[in-house]
Amino acid sequence: MSPRPVVSVITAHTQQEGGGFTVRRPFPSRGLAQLDPLLMLDEMGPVHYGPGQAIGAPDHPHRGFETVTYILDGEAEHADSSGHAGSMSPGDVQWMTAGAGVVHREMPSRRMQREGGRMHGFQLWVNLPAAEKRIAPRYQEIKAATIPSASSPDGKARVRVIAGEALGAQAVIATRTPILYHHWSLDAGADVALPLPADHRVGVYVFDGTARVSGRELHAGQLAVLGEGDHLTLSADGPAQALVLGGRPLNEPIAWSGPFVMNTEQELREAYADFRAGRLGRIPPEIVRA
Ligand code: FE
């Protein structure tokens, strides 16, 4: 057994997204362009909104990749150009394959917009291989209760498996290429070894407390990029939470502009032209505006 070493530690920067909400973003950043095939990780909040303050992302397009939304606190509503609409509660995951293209909006629930409340969650962008960038859009919506979970034998480490496998629990989400997405909760004294596929690029983002990743101490808001090996270790001296993220690299050229991630500049120009011409569709007016 050879542990994957921590090869770099990235401290997330903050920036504004959507209608003006603040995210913590470990990548892309100056220290880490991508974690191929993962393009971006945003932590939304935690933030406490007063009445009338909650902000979302009004109508915008995507093409060429997948967006994965995971809500820890708060309520979100979404609607899109295929006529699809839904809501998310704490613990729910929405895995949206934008593929050829959608126009959607992602907003706090109307109740949250009215009354305020705590919002905390993540959005991960997962790249699609060149051959699948124009597949039909698809949604996988997984309610909190159906996300597989498991615990270490001593109960001090618990994991919710959104993608991939951990402690014998296998994710229910189907991914286009092999992806890992785990949410770990650690108690004082937790110490687990996690086998990992050798061909995956892997990062660990600590977002609550302090945890040791392959022996390296990380604080909330830091992402460890791991090198080669067959497992990582997670341990903590107090309560901590982390995401283990990764996937099999695509090793393809990336042409990225705003909400579109393609392989060439020409494909980006097509995406903008298609969006401007309305070919990515529009959100049907009969869907109640969130
Ligand atoms: Fe979006």
mmCIF file of all heavy atoms in Angstrom, residues 60 62 67 104 106 123, ligand 1:
data_model
loop_
_atom_site.group_PDB
_atom_site.id
_atom_site.type_symbol
_atom_site.label_atom_id
_atom_site.label_comp_id
_atom_site.label_asym_id
_atom_site.label_seq_id
_atom_site.Cartn_x
_atom_site.Cartn_y
_atom_site.Cartn_z
ATOM 1 N N HIS A 60 -29.369 31.556 -17.648
ATOM 2 C CA HIS A 60 -28.055 31.525 -18.310
ATOM 3 C C HIS A 60 -27.882 30.166 -18.980
ATOM 4 O O HIS A 60 -28.507 29.185 -18.568
ATOM 5 C CB HIS A 60 -26.930 31.803 -17.307
ATOM 6 C CG HIS A 60 -26.864 30.799 -16.187
ATOM 7 N ND1 HIS A 60 -27.676 30.865 -15.084
ATOM 8 C CD2 HIS A 60 -26.108 29.682 -16.019
ATOM 9 C CE1 HIS A 60 -27.410 29.855 -14.280
ATOM 10 N NE2 HIS A 60 -26.467 29.103 -14.824
ATOM 11 N N HIS A 62 -25.624 26.738 -20.660
ATOM 12 C CA HIS A 62 -24.429 25.900 -20.505
ATOM 13 C C HIS A 62 -24.341 24.971 -21.710
ATOM 14 O O HIS A 62 -25.374 24.558 -22.256
ATOM 15 C CB HIS A 62 -24.501 25.016 -19.252
ATOM 16 C CG HIS A 62 -24.434 25.769 -17.966
ATOM 17 N ND1 HIS A 62 -23.341 26.508 -17.582
ATOM 18 C CD2 HIS A 62 -25.335 25.895 -16.960
ATOM 19 C CE1 HIS A 62 -23.570 27.051 -16.401
ATOM 20 N NE2 HIS A 62 -24.782 26.706 -15.996
ATOM 21 N N THR A 67 -23.079 20.063 -14.607
ATOM 22 C CA THR A 67 -23.033 20.799 -13.343
ATOM 23 C C THR A 67 -23.660 19.912 -12.261
ATOM 24 O O THR A 67 -24.709 19.306 -12.478
ATOM 25 C CB THR A 67 -23.776 22.149 -13.407
ATOM 26 O OG1 THR A 67 -25.180 21.912 -13.561
ATOM 27 C CG2 THR A 67 -23.287 23.002 -14.564
ATOM 28 N N HIS A 104 -30.864 27.651 -18.164
ATOM 29 C CA HIS A 104 -31.559 27.380 -16.900
ATOM 30 C C HIS A 104 -31.387 28.531 -15.921
ATOM 31 O O HIS A 104 -30.631 29.463 -16.156
ATOM 32 C CB HIS A 104 -31.118 26.039 -16.298
ATOM 33 C CG HIS A 104 -29.764 26.036 -15.663
ATOM 34 N ND1 HIS A 104 -29.356 25.046 -14.805
ATOM 35 C CD2 HIS A 104 -28.715 26.893 -15.738
ATOM 36 C CE1 HIS A 104 -28.127 25.291 -14.390
ATOM 37 N NE2 HIS A 104 -27.713 26.388 -14.929
ATOM 38 N N GLU A 106 -31.052 29.050 -11.521
ATOM 39 C CA GLU A 106 -30.833 28.359 -10.248
ATOM 40 C C GLU A 106 -31.031 29.408 -9.156
ATOM 41 O O GLU A 106 -30.225 30.332 -9.044
ATOM 42 C CB GLU A 106 -29.410 27.812 -10.202
ATOM 43 C CG GLU A 106 -29.091 26.883 -11.366
ATOM 44 C CD GLU A 106 -27.595 26.764 -11.617
ATOM 45 O OE1 GLU A 106 -27.024 27.607 -12.327
ATOM 46 O OE2 GLU A 106 -26.992 25.816 -11.108
ATOM 47 N N GLN A 123 -21.229 23.660 -5.963
ATOM 48 C CA GLN A 123 -21.440 23.315 -7.367
ATOM 49 C C GLN A 123 -20.107 22.908 -7.973
ATOM 50 O O GLN A 123 -19.122 23.648 -7.921
ATOM 51 C CB GLN A 123 -22.077 24.440 -8.172
ATOM 52 C CG GLN A 123 -22.450 23.922 -9.569
ATOM 53 C CD GLN A 123 -23.395 24.819 -10.333
ATOM 54 O OE1 GLN A 123 -22.972 25.715 -11.033
ATOM 55 N NE2 GLN A 123 -24.688 24.577 -10.185
HETATM 56 FE FE FE B 1 -25.866 27.138 -14.206
#
